[in-house]
Amino acid sequence: MKKRAIISVFKKEGILELASFLNEAGWEILSTGGTASYLAQNKIPVTDVSSVTGFPECLDGRVKTLHPSVHAGILARRDNAAHIAKLEELSIKLIDLVCVNLYPFFEKVQEDLSFNDTVEFIDIGGPTMLRAAAKNYQDVLVLTDPADYAKAIKGIKNDDLSIEFRRRMAGKVFNLTAAYDAAISRFMLGETGEDEYPEYYALSLKKQQMLRYGENSHQSACLYVSADRKGAFGGMKQLQGKELSYNNIRDLDVAWKGVCAYSKFVKNALPVKGKDRDGNEVTANFASVSGSVFTIALKHNTPCGAALGKNVLDSYKKTYNCDSVSIFGGILGCSAVIDENAALEMKKCFLEVIVAPGFTDGALKVFEEKKNLRLIVAEIPADEKHSYLSVDGGALIQSSDDTLFEKWDIVTKAKPTAAQVNEMAFGMTIAMFAKSNAILVIKDQMAIGIGCGQTNRIWAAEQALERAQKVVQSGATSDNKNAEVLISDAFFPFDDTVRVAAKYGIKAIVQPGGSIRDEDSIKACDELGIAMVFTGTRHFKH
């Protein structure tokens, strides 16, 4: 009996080679619409599906293959005599191969189309045929990926299509349709409101690249990116250097998020309103934050330095001086195009990755000498609505930390100066990315002391304050006076952090507030002449 294949593809890559082989091997080729025309134009004999179903394509092409003459031919089990008898009774012929790829919903959902126009790119007939063929994989070869066409041709030619190959092709069908349906689900439900956390949480991710290894050399790893939207990683381009490692990518993610957070929360922030101790309305306006270029350095997925500067070179030098030891082998993120002068300075330090909106030709020339240094151009701001963390047998999903200041309440007798307010705004942006417990000390809009990852807040404070004192004593800041501003990612459970801060000359503290013992810290500040602001927003990062 003559074998039959149905070919209906949106993307035509490799399809002429497959169809030509099948035709020469004596197969009958069934096809639809554009694919049928394409094959006919290339002189490959084709039978239009409408002549098999007895019905023309209708409803603007919505109905082409949804018919028993197609699906019975695919789903009939060859080892089931009743199935075969029923096909003979209904004059339906078997279909032995299904080659289908889908309407480009992944791509179209990212375009600026109306909701109704986007809906028209939801494929119905294609997934239905694929799923039918995949279910009956022992008898029907199903192809969705042009990369598999050559293997299929070789197997058919040598009469050697193993059951393992057939099953793998079927598995790829459900892998594709699961991602396709996940993208449609996210589009239909949206990501906020009642369906922010639906009964089943599906992500549509596509393999970007295999990585050499994972967090450690004995672990395997792969980078996947969203198939139905262009997040920050979808808009990144590597200009030079070795392949990114798993740890590079994690650090790169935080570096770029830090750059974007500065622009979102400080550079372009609206004034934040609150109240002072007497109940009077106050406004924190960050428009006067000095410096137009933001740079952040990371090591082991947490900031080791960050600074604002008047240009890239100034910003980088200040970031380097925050911690000239830890930055070695680190990852650098910058908010501006990196120029030659900055590149010459950066070249002096061993860096793993630099990410920025761009690099001048002069900078690229300088970096050519550092062949292993990865240079990444990032064009899309970080704006993921949720974060994900795997747990054994499941996942934790939460909305992204995208609120910096819920309020601006001055809770002490002393009030922060305008300069201290600016330091607070800058510092809290960095605290969002430092591991909890996190304490930062800020001077000259440099994160000169970062204490993080400690199991109690007083240790984090001591670490940050001691580090800050050493940076000041090194001459890296504008003067040799102690830093005045301390940042905390979460509330103070006791007044001990306030008292330690006072010993190091801290004059202003910003923290979320919310402890049952807040009043103890407020009293300590009043006693020591320290201004303290409550933001109402905690930034734990575990």
Side-chain angles (χ1 to χ4, degrees):
M1 183 183 296
K2 191 172 188 178
K3 289 190 174 291
R4 299 200 307 166
I6 185 164
I7 300 177
S8 181
V9 292
F10 187 87
K11 297 175 182 177
K12 306 298 191 290
E13 176 190 349
I15 207 63
L16 288 180
E17 292 81 358
L18 176 64
S20 295
F21 165 75
L22 293 175
N23 177 57
E24 291 170 5
W27 288 52
E28 180 184 7
I29 298 175
L30 314 180
S31 193
T32 62
T35 305
S37 298
Y38 179 72
L39 295 177
Q41 288 168 9
N42 285 276
K43 305 193 181 330
I44 297 173
V46 62
T47 301
D48 196 281
V49 166
S50 60
S51 67
V52 174
T53 63
F55 285 86
E57 293 183 13
C58 60
L59 306 182
D60 299 319
R62 283 188 169 201
V63 178
K64 295 190 282 274
T65 58
L66 298 171
H67 193 278
S69 293
V70 173
H71 287 278
I74 295 172
L75 282 164
R77 289 182 54 174
R78 277 51 166 180
D79 62 353
N80 188 313
H83 283 196
I84 300 304
K86 177 57 70 173
L87 290 192
E88 291 176 354
E89 176 188 333
L90 298 173
S91 300
I92 294 175
K93 297 179 181 178
L94 294 170
I95 294 175
D96 306 285
L97 184 151
V98 173
C99 179
V100 172
N101 56 49
L102 308 177
Y103 289 171
F105 184 82
F106 291 135
E107 294 83 1
K108 293 301 179 179
V109 76
Q110 300 179 56
E111 296 181 9
D112 190 23
L113 302 178
S114 69
F115 185 91
N116 288 338
D117 285 344
T118 305
V119 166
E120 291 306 310
F121 286 96
I122 298 175
D123 201 325
I124 301 300
T128 306
M129 283 193 293
L130 287 175
R131 291 172 63 86
K135 179 173 181 175
N136 203 23
Y137 71 93
Q138 297 179 79
D139 296 315
V140 181
L141 177 62
V142 59
L143 300 173
T144 62
D145 185 350
D148 296 318
Y149 295 173
K151 294 177 184 176
I153 290 171
K154 182 178 179 181
I156 294 170
K157 183 184 295 184
N158 297 330
D159 195 21
D160 184 30
L161 286 173
S162 68
I163 196 66
E164 291 79 12
F165 178 73
R166 289 175 175 271
R167 179 174 171 176
R168 182 166 176 265
M169 294 301 98
K172 291 182 75 168
V173 165
F174 292 112
N175 183 252
L176 170 62
T177 57
Y180 196 78
D181 287 343
I184 295 168
S185 170
R186 181 151 72 166
F187 165 71
M188 288 288 194
L189 292 176
E191 293 185 273
T192 58
E194 184 179 351
D195 293 310
E196 182 175 6
Y197 300 103
E199 186 71 17
Y200 300 97
Y201 204 98
L203 290 175
S204 185
L205 301 173
K206 185 176 182 181
K207 184 191 289 187
Q208 177 93 333
Q209 67 182 93
M210 286 297 300
L211 304 176
R212 288 175 295 155
Y213 52 84
E215 200 163 8
N216 298 290
S217 59
H218 60 277
Q219 295 171 269
S220 61
C222 183
L223 172 64
Y224 285 80
V225 297
S226 177
D228 57 335
R229 64 186 57 192
K230 272 198 172 182
F233 271 83
M236 288 185 182
K237 181 181 179 183
Q238 184 169 348
L239 301 182
Q240 75 161 50
K242 296 190 297 184
E243 275 189 15
L244 290 164
S245 70
Y246 177 93
N247 292 330
N248 290 156
I249 291 169
R250 289 198 63 192
D251 288 336
L252 171 59
D253 179 51
V254 175
W256 187 241
K257 283 177 178 174
V259 169
C260 297
Y262 160 69
S263 296
K264 178 177 181 179
F265 294 122
V266 179
K267 184 178 180 182
N268 301 311
L270 295 174
V272 179
K273 297 185 181 298
K275 294 182 178 180
D276 66 14
R277 174 93 162 238
D278 300 319
N280 301 312
E281 288 191 359
V282 294
T283 300
N285 192 331
F286 312 131
S288 60
V289 172
S290 63
S292 59
V293 177
F294 173 81
T295 303
I296 183 170
L298 283 103
K299 195 70 171 289
H300 299 306
N301 211 227
T302 199
C304 60
L308 285 174
K310 59 182 180 292
N311 53 45
V312 178
L313 177 59
D314 181 47
S315 179
Y316 169 70
K317 281 184 173 181
K318 291 169 73 175
T319 299
Y320 177 86
N321 287 331
C322 289
D323 188 344
S324 59
V325 175
S326 296
I327 196 174
F328 182 87
I331 277 71
L332 196 72
C334 185
S335 66
V337 173
I338 293 177
D339 56 30
E340 184 176 357
N341 288 336
L344 287 167
E345 189 66 25
M346 292 173 183
K347 190 181 76 165
K348 297 175 184 177
C349 178
F350 169 56
L351 298 169
E352 290 274 6
V353 183
I354 301 174
V355 58
F359 298 82
T360 66
D361 290 342
L364 291 175
K365 189 71 176 174
V366 169
F367 286 133
E368 278 182 359
E369 299 176 26
K370 311 268 287 189
K371 296 191 181 302
N372 289 332
L373 171 63
R374 298 119 167 137
L375 301 181
I376 308 293
V377 172
E379 299 176 348
I380 299 176
D383 192 32
E384 184 62 62
K385 298 296 186 294
H386 294 89
S387 64
Y388 316 92
L389 176 70
S390 65
V391 294
D392 201 317
L396 286 170
I397 301 170
Q398 65 175 346
S399 59
S400 296
D401 187 2
D402 61 357
T403 300
L404 193 61
F405 304 115
E406 183 178 312
K407 61 184 180 181
W408 190 268
D409 289 348
I410 302 172
V411 296
T412 51
K413 294 176 183 177
K415 298 180 180 181
T417 65
Q420 289 167 351
V421 168
N422 288 338
E423 300 278 45
M424 289 174 172
F426 168 74
M428 190 59 84
T429 306
I430 314 307
M432 296 176 74
F433 301 99
K435 293 291 197 315
S436 299
N437 290 306
I439 297 287
L440 285 81
V441 179
I442 308 298
K443 183 178 176 65
D444 301 337
Q445 292 181 339
M446 300 166 59
I448 61 173
I450 302 176
C452 57
Q454 299 297 329
T455 51
N456 70 65
R457 196 156 295 279
I458 191 66
W459 288 353
E462 289 172 342
Q463 183 184 68
L465 289 160
E466 289 172 7
R467 175 63 199 159
Q469 189 177 62
K470 289 179 181 178
V471 174
V472 170
Q473 291 171 350
S474 74
T477 55
S478 58
D479 56 45
N480 60 0
K481 296 179 181 178
N482 288 333
E484 296 185 350
V485 175
L486 181 141
I487 316 292
S488 178
D489 68 334
F491 62 63
F492 295 162
F494 306 102
D495 67 0
D496 50 6
T497 303
V498 172
R499 297 189 180 281
V500 169
K503 292 179 182 179
Y504 285 84
I506 293 297
K507 299 298 182 186
I509 294 172
V510 59
Q511 59 135 315
S515 169
I516 60 173
R517 302 186 65 165
D518 275 345
E519 195 59 35
D520 291 352
S521 294
I522 293 170
K523 286 179 180 178
C525 284
D526 285 342
E527 174 192 331
L528 299 164
I530 296 173
M532 187 158 64
V533 171
F534 285 178
T535 67
T537 308
R538 189 182 73 184
H539 296 289
F540 270 161
K541 183 176 174 62
H542 282 74

